[in-house]
Amino acid sequence: MKRNFTPEKELLFLALGGSGEIGMNVNLYGADGKWLMVDLGMTFSGNEYPGIDLVFADLEFIEDRLKDLVGIVLTHGHEDHIGAVPYFAADLGVPLYATPFTAELVRRKLEEAGLTNEVELHEVDDLEQFELGPFSVQYVPLAHSIAEGNALLIETAHGRIFHTGDWKLDEDPIIGEPTTEEELTALGDEGITALVCDSTNVFNPNPSGSEGAVFKGLMEEVAKHSGRRVLVTTFASNVARLHTLGEVARETGRQICVAGRSLDRIIDVSQANGYLLDFPETVDFDTAMRLPRGEVLIIATGGQGEPRAALSRIAEENHPLELVSGDVVLFSSRQIPGNEISIGKVQNQLAERGIVMVTDRQSEIHVSGHPGRPELEALYGWIRPEVLVPVHGEMRHMQEQARLGRANGIEHTVVQKNGDIVRLAPGKPEKLAEVRAGRLVLDGDIIVPADGEAVAMRRRIAYNGAIFVALTRDLEAHIDLLGLPLDEDEADFIAETKEDISEAIGKLKGAMRSEPGAIAEAARLATRRAAQRWSGKRPQVRVMLVG
């Protein structure tokens, strides 16, 4: 690798997102002077970024080398793999490649953003290899919790990569035809330099389970609640689960009502691509409410406690669909780490109203889309890579998968993180360098650095509040508080703070007494000390000289 990080006659790997975290997947492969991007995802913000919904990987590294980027290949249609496309693809200026279902999801995102004519999108509707500079790429179908989940076989002059994307093993996947054990073994027979592999469920000692088994679990649960209105919440993108729920509704004599725009969109895209063609005709909200309680099955978004999703609004009794005591909510989804509080809030609202809830801990109504340890071990045995590179996990997940790989005979394992440039071949794999791999956030309509001053200031105000001081020409202070716990004492606090400000300005000497900057700083410090004395908080203080 050259000093400017241009790949030479070698095979490099660099994650800009998704290594050391779950979500926001952006991976780069380098060879012979060129880079190939695999996935362009985002993640959702938590409490870490007040007022922020979407978080992206910082693409500065590859933006500085756009002439060397040959294309972007998308493994599947989950937001953590395609969600950043409408925000960055046009500026990256290279073609996108996706299988039909994923391509349709991307196409609609581009349409919504007004970028249809600015981004070149190639739909790959077969499993033949295609060439992108020094890279030969082939889709390898694997089971996952969305239609058309795929691994990638990436061939270069210096080695072959099996990049799993998100995957699992499923003997009865309902949707799609995953690559068989025999076919994967044949790929291993041809030689795989590196397996770049999903680490999400490495701590699960059991297989992830089959989507076919969920049908039985959902059938039993819905059937036992005859005469009651049943709502099932699941991930909107899980096409196989939607197919299963359609069959459950048909078998139990219930009509389906769908609540959530993302569900409507996925059903529409699925049917446009040959999936869910026998999905029952749905009924609207008014019709659903007029049906006998035991004759409707509601499928709703919001299983992660999202405040604007259908289930949250139903729990708050702020939605046309209504549930009453004795009705049932089935959580056919896993609880994503970090969403415990929001999910708990929704569940407590439902429980307070006497609504029965069933989760995957009580009944087999959900299976994961990621491999447990037995599935990982099986793939190791079929692929037999020279090198294992865990990705798609926090550091604890990736370290554990590396240990599992070594225990199963993989000679080399590389535990890397976002920003690490790793040489996979030739020779023994090694970390060569570390480059910037920060985060960006969508703040309103503007993409800014996650560690920038605007976000940092908002976080400080969220924790400590703010005080605004306006000083007139005769140095009279007008004070306004924001977010300080001084409700009953506010008037007394303001009066005392005005005295402190006057005293602080009066102590200024010489030319400083007429220096605006010095006056403002004296007022700021006096105000902050007063706030800390009265409240124990250290608010942000802004002083304005007026008049």
Side-chain angles (χ1 to χ4, degrees):
M1 183 181 70
K2 296 180 180 179
R3 287 189 177 181
N4 65 356
F5 306 119
T6 300
E8 297 188 280
K9 295 186 180 302
E10 59 192 341
L11 177 54
L12 305 180
F13 175 75
L14 167 62
L16 295 179
S19 286
E21 62 198 352
I22 296 178
M24 204 171 69
N25 296 281
V26 182
N27 299 291
L28 292 168
Y29 290 97
D32 299 321
K34 299 297 180 182
W35 292 96
L36 170 69
M37 183 179 289
V38 174
D39 290 328
L40 184 52
M42 47 140 259
T43 193
F44 293 100
S45 172
N47 295 330
E48 184 180 2
Y49 303 115
I52 303 295
D53 289 328
L54 305 184
V55 183
F56 310 111
D58 189 338
L59 304 181
E60 178 184 18
F61 174 86
I62 197 63
E63 287 172 339
D64 290 343
R65 296 162 178 82
L66 290 182
K67 64 180 179 56
D68 298 331
L69 182 63
V70 296
I72 303 170
V73 182
L74 305 173
T75 58
H76 66 283
H78 276 147
E79 290 295 315
D80 60 330
H81 293 258
I82 68 168
V85 166
Y87 300 96
F88 296 97
D91 289 338
L92 292 174
V94 296
L96 274 61
Y97 296 82
T99 56
F101 180 83
T102 304
E104 183 62 24
L105 291 174
V106 170
R107 189 175 293 115
R108 295 185 182 213
K109 286 179 174 292
L110 296 174
E111 288 174 357
E112 290 174 8
L115 297 173
T116 302
N117 298 323
E118 295 185 38
V119 177
E120 184 180 339
L121 176 60
H122 294 271
E123 188 173 300
V124 182
D125 58 2
D126 57 41
L127 302 181
E128 297 300 315
Q129 289 185 336
F130 54 98
E131 308 296 324
L132 290 171
F135 306 94
S136 177
V137 183
Q138 183 177 6
Y139 279 105
V140 181
L142 293 178
H144 186 43
S145 53
I146 191 172
E148 298 180 15
N150 291 282
L152 298 175
L153 182 65
I154 303 172
E155 297 194 35
T156 73
H158 315 289
R160 305 171 82 224
I161 302 294
F162 191 87
H163 180 105
T164 67
D166 294 4
W167 70 283
K168 62 180 289 182
L169 298 179
D170 194 335
E171 295 179 355
D172 187 13
I174 305 297
I175 296 292
E177 297 182 7
T179 305
T180 65
E181 172 185 342
E182 292 75 19
E183 291 167 328
L184 291 171
T185 300
L187 290 178
D189 290 342
E190 296 171 4
I192 296 296
T193 306
L195 172 64
V196 180
C197 189
D198 179 355
S199 306
T200 311
N201 273 354
V202 68
F203 290 107
N204 183 359
N206 303 309
S208 56
S210 173
E211 189 64 36
V214 176
F215 171 75
K216 180 181 178 183
L218 285 169
M219 271 293 299
E220 291 175 353
E221 282 298 329
V222 175
K224 74 169 62 170
H225 298 293
S226 59
R228 296 296 184 181
R229 190 170 287 155
V230 175
L231 181 152
V232 182
T233 182
T234 190
F235 297 114
S237 59
N238 195 331
V239 178
R241 191 68 47 81
L242 295 177
H243 174 89
T244 294
L245 290 169
E247 293 299 309
V248 168
R250 190 176 286 113
E251 292 288 331
T252 56
R254 293 174 180 261
Q255 296 192 60
I256 285 181
C257 178
V258 173
R261 285 178 294 180
S262 57
L263 280 165
D264 292 330
R265 182 174 63 252
I266 287 292
I267 292 171
D268 190 23
V269 171
S270 298
Q271 292 176 336
N273 285 275
Y275 305 109
L276 300 182
L277 297 181
D278 57 351
F279 193 73
E281 195 75 27
T282 61
V283 299
D284 60 26
F285 296 162
D286 290 340
T287 303
M289 290 298 94
R290 291 196 300 267
L291 286 170
R293 308 194 76 79
E295 295 183 14
V296 64
L297 178 68
I298 300 167
I299 306 174
T301 57
Q304 299 304 310
E306 304 96 318
R308 295 188 293 272
L311 180 59
S312 292
R313 294 172 56 206
I314 291 169
E316 295 170 349
E317 299 182 83
N318 184 30
H319 193 280
L321 295 175
E322 298 176 0
L323 298 176
V324 300
S325 179
D327 287 340
V328 181
V329 175
L330 306 181
F331 285 80
S332 185
S333 57
R334 72 180 177 94
Q335 182 172 277
I336 295 176
N339 293 341
E340 295 86 354
I341 293 176
S342 55
I343 294 172
K345 176 183 177 182
V346 171
Q347 291 182 340
N348 284 326
Q349 289 173 323
L350 295 170
E352 187 174 1
R353 294 166 51 199
I355 294 164
V356 177
M357 286 169 285
V358 180
T359 72
D360 62 336
R361 295 181 180 180
Q362 300 157 266
S363 180
E364 192 173 8
I365 58 174
H366 177 66
V367 292
S368 174
H370 300 272
R373 293 173 82 89
E375 293 154 284
L376 290 166
E377 291 175 317
L379 187 66
Y380 300 159
W382 300 334
I383 295 297
R384 289 153 286 148
E386 299 170 26
V387 183
L388 171 64
V389 183
V391 293
H392 203 290
E394 298 171 5
M395 187 54 68
R396 60 194 175 99
H397 299 98
M398 298 191 300
Q399 287 281 11
E400 182 62 20
Q401 188 181 176
R403 284 189 282 268
L404 183 64
R406 289 192 294 269
N408 281 268
I410 299 177
E411 183 177 1
H412 301 292
T413 60
V414 178
V415 178
Q416 48 75 56
K417 64 183 185 302
N418 295 338
D420 289 348
I421 299 181
V422 176
R423 179 190 286 132
L424 300 174
K428 183 179 178 180
E430 61 177 330
K431 175 181 169 179
L432 300 180
E434 186 172 336
V435 299
R436 174 176 166 77
R439 288 182 163 197
L440 303 174
V441 295
L442 181 64
D443 196 355
D445 294 329
I446 303 172
I447 295 174
V448 298
D451 58 358
E453 181 59 25
V455 177
M457 178 60 72
R458 193 175 304 144
R459 190 182 296 119
R460 296 185 200 114
I461 292 173
Y463 286 124
N464 287 295
I467 301 178
F468 300 94
V469 179
L471 286 176
T472 63
R473 187 185 297 274
D474 57 2
L475 301 183
E476 180 183 356
H478 299 269
I479 300 173
D480 193 15
L481 312 185
L482 184 65
L484 267 75
L486 294 172
D487 296 351
E488 296 179 358
D489 298 323
E490 182 173 331
D492 291 338
F493 166 76
I494 289 175
E496 185 173 306
T497 302
K498 286 183 177 181
E499 293 177 4
D500 289 355
I501 291 172
S502 179
E503 182 179 345
I505 294 173
K507 290 181 178 179
L508 293 174
K509 297 179 179 180
M512 301 294 284
R513 304 189 68 168
S514 58
E515 165 58 39
I519 293 170
E521 181 63 7
R524 187 186 74 83
L525 292 174
T527 302
R528 197 173 196 201
R529 291 190 191 107
Q532 191 168 7
R533 187 170 66 245
W534 276 74
S535 68
K537 309 292 283 185
R538 302 181 66 183
Q540 296 298 304
V541 178
R542 288 292 179 268
V543 178
M544 297 159 286
L545 303 179
V546 297

